[in-house]
């Protein structure tokens, strides 16, 4: 009996020892998630900062626009790049009104992480491509104050951009911002990726031969035109013999789509039927004996058909004359047959 109790005691002790050394779930660990929206990407980065003892970054509209425009540009070109269609990342932020801190001649305090995945990004910790010191600094630098993110899809490919930056203590643009903006020909308007410095793309209708031409408006670029028409920069370059040229000019007419289908013309029946029906006004008193096959006699015609036609005025006068003549004739007859002696 004592042997059994001893075995039981040591068994319980062994189980407790195993449980004490078993790996435990990390406090605050989050399940993996598919990143399909900018807000999810920002949350993932801020959770990483919190886990490392850093304050989360505040979302800024200028960084949201710069990141989204870069994601769209990468999706349109099929390239993972930090290059902008024109101008620089620093110029884009300044043009958007972000009060960028740091030496602006050196680019200022800003950074950007970009990524391309086949299918949505599965965030189960930092993506391998962002685990080096430079990319980690984009997300974990204590100098940065604001964040923005953008996601764009092209087929099964997803393009991600995370923009972080530090704002000036005053919240105002530095005096050198104007010089940096005008250092590239075209100034602020050269940042064609910035929505408020470009005319929105209005889609053109196909011509009779199926070709669609787009007239470039102020601030528009190949990438924004390609996205609007559901094509690619390379296709537009090929259709217009542009080679590798990516610069377009206001007023330039580009062939963007070939073989497009025009809107169907209205059918003959649709145009004829209302015209024929309109001729049957409610005051009509005649009904045609035959109608075209596509025309149906309207209820107004049937109502006219069932109602009795009004009597002519001459018929009514004749009836009155006959009634008066009848009374006169009856009176004459009574007078002729009365007793002469009376």
């Amino acid at each position: 009996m004592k042997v059994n109790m001893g075995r039981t005691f040591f068994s319980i002790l062994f189980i407790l020892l195993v449980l004490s050394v078993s790996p435990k779930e990390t406090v605050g660990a989050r399940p993996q998630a598919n990143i399909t929206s900018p807000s999810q990407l920002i949350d993932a980065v801020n959770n990483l900062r919190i886990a490392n003892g850093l304050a989360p970054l505040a979302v800024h509209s200028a960084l949201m626009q710069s990141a989204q425009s870069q994601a769209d540009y990468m999706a349109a070109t099929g390239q993972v790049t930090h290059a902008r269609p024109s101008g620089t990342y620093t110029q884009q932020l300044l043009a958007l009104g972000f009060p960028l801190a740091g030496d602006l001649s050196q680019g200022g305090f800003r950074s950007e992480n970009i990524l391309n995945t086949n299918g949505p990004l599965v965030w189960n910790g930092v993506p391998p491509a962002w685990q080096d010191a430079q990319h980690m600094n984009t997300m974990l630098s204590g100098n940065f104050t604001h964040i923005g993110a953008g996601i764009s899809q092209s087929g099964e490919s997803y393009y991600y951009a995370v923009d972080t930056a530090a704002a000036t203590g005053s919240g105002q643009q530095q005096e050198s911002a104007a010089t940096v903006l005008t250092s590239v020909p075209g100034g602020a308007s050269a940042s064609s990726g910035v929505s408020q410095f470009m005319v929105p793309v209005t889609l053109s209708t196909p011509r009779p031969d199926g070709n669609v031409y787009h007239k470039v408006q102020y601030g528009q670029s190949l990438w924004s035109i390609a996205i609007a028409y559901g094509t690619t920069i390379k296709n537009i370059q090929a259709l217009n013999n542009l080679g590798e040229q990516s610069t377009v000019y206001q007023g330039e007419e580009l062939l963007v789509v070939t073989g497009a289908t025009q809107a169907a013309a209205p059918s003959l029946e649709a145009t004829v039927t209302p015209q024929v029906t309109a001729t049957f006004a409610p005051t009509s008193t005649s009904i045609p004996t035959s109608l075209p096959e596509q025309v149906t006699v309207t209820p107004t015609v049937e109502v006219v058909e069932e109602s009795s036609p009004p009597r002519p005025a001459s018929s009514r006068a004749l009836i009155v004359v006959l009634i008066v003549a009848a009374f006169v004739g009856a009176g004459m007859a009574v007078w002729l047959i009365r007793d002469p002696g009376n």
Side-chain angles (χ1 to χ4, degrees):
M1 184 69 178
K2 291 181 179 180
V3 175
N4 291 335
M5 291 181 63
R7 289 178 178 175
T8 302
F9 173 78
F10 282 108
S11 297
I12 295 174
L13 183 62
F14 177 77
I15 293 173
L16 293 174
L17 181 62
V18 171
L19 292 175
S20 65
V21 298
S22 297
K24 297 180 180 180
E25 184 180 356
T26 304
V27 176
R30 296 176 180 270
Q32 66 181 28
N34 290 344
I35 306 298
T36 57
S37 68
S39 61
Q40 289 177 313
L41 188 53
I42 291 173
D43 288 341
V45 173
N46 276 335
N47 287 334
L48 179 65
R49 290 179 63 87
I50 293 171
N52 285 271
L54 297 168
L57 299 173
V59 177
H60 197 284
S61 60
L63 291 167
M64 291 295 290
Q65 291 187 55
S66 66
Q68 187 60 56
S69 67
Q70 191 63 15
D72 290 341
Y73 177 66
M74 292 189 295
T77 61
Q79 300 176 357
V80 182
T81 177
H82 292 289
R84 265 61 179 170
S86 56
T88 66
Y89 178 21
T90 298
Q91 288 176 319
Q92 186 178 23
L93 290 181
L94 294 176
L96 284 165
F98 185 81
L100 187 61
D103 186 351
L104 298 184
S105 65
Q106 300 297 318
F109 292 151
R110 86 289 184 277
S111 187
E112 180 177 69
N113 282 1
I114 53 178
L115 186 67
N116 167 234
T117 59
N118 185 22
L121 171 65
V122 179
W123 189 279
N124 187 17
V126 179
W130 290 356
Q131 291 181 7
D132 61 278
Q134 185 176 1
H135 288 89
M136 291 295 288
N137 183 70
T138 300
M139 300 180 288
L140 297 179
S141 174
N143 294 327
F144 296 144
T145 58
H146 293 84
I147 188 173
I151 300 176
S152 190
Q153 184 180 358
S154 177
E156 295 298 321
S157 294
Y158 284 74
Y159 295 84
Y160 297 84
V162 173
D163 288 359
T164 55
T168 58
S170 65
Q172 301 298 319
Q173 292 272 17
Q174 298 189 57
E175 292 182 358
S176 59
T179 302
V180 174
L181 278 172
T182 57
S183 63
V184 174
S189 63
S191 298
S192 57
V194 183
S195 60
Q196 62 259 52
F197 293 108
M198 61 179 288
V199 176
V201 177
T202 301
L203 300 183
S204 301
T205 56
R207 296 185 179 181
D209 59 1
N211 290 339
V212 180
Y213 288 85
H214 178 79
K215 190 173 184 179
V216 181
Q217 301 298 314
Y218 176 74
Q220 294 178 355
S221 60
L222 278 181
W223 73 268
S224 60
I225 296 172
I227 291 174
Y229 284 93
T231 183
T232 65
I233 288 178
K234 290 188 179 297
N235 286 341
I236 297 178
Q237 289 173 329
L239 290 174
N240 296 274
N241 298 317
L242 298 178
E244 295 299 320
Q245 180 182 341
S246 60
T247 303
V248 291
Y249 303 94
Q250 183 177 354
E252 185 176 0
E253 194 171 58
L254 298 174
L255 174 61
V256 292
V257 177
T258 59
T261 304
Q262 286 187 306
S267 65
L268 178 62
E269 179 178 348
T271 58
V272 172
T273 302
Q275 295 176 350
V276 176
T277 304
T279 61
F280 300 119
T283 56
S284 174
T285 57
S286 61
I287 303 175
T289 57
S290 62
L291 296 172
E293 293 182 358
Q294 70 271 23
V295 179
T296 303
V297 177
T298 60
T300 55
V301 175
E302 294 177 359
V303 172
V304 174
E305 180 183 26
E306 293 175 357
S307 62
S308 300
R311 297 177 180 273
S314 58
S315 298
R316 291 196 297 269
L318 178 60
I319 293 174
V320 172
V321 170
L322 292 175
I323 293 174
V324 172
F327 277 105
V328 172
M332 290 291 294
V334 171
W335 180 76
L336 291 173
I337 64 174
R338 74 182 185 280
D339 185 0
N342 292 336

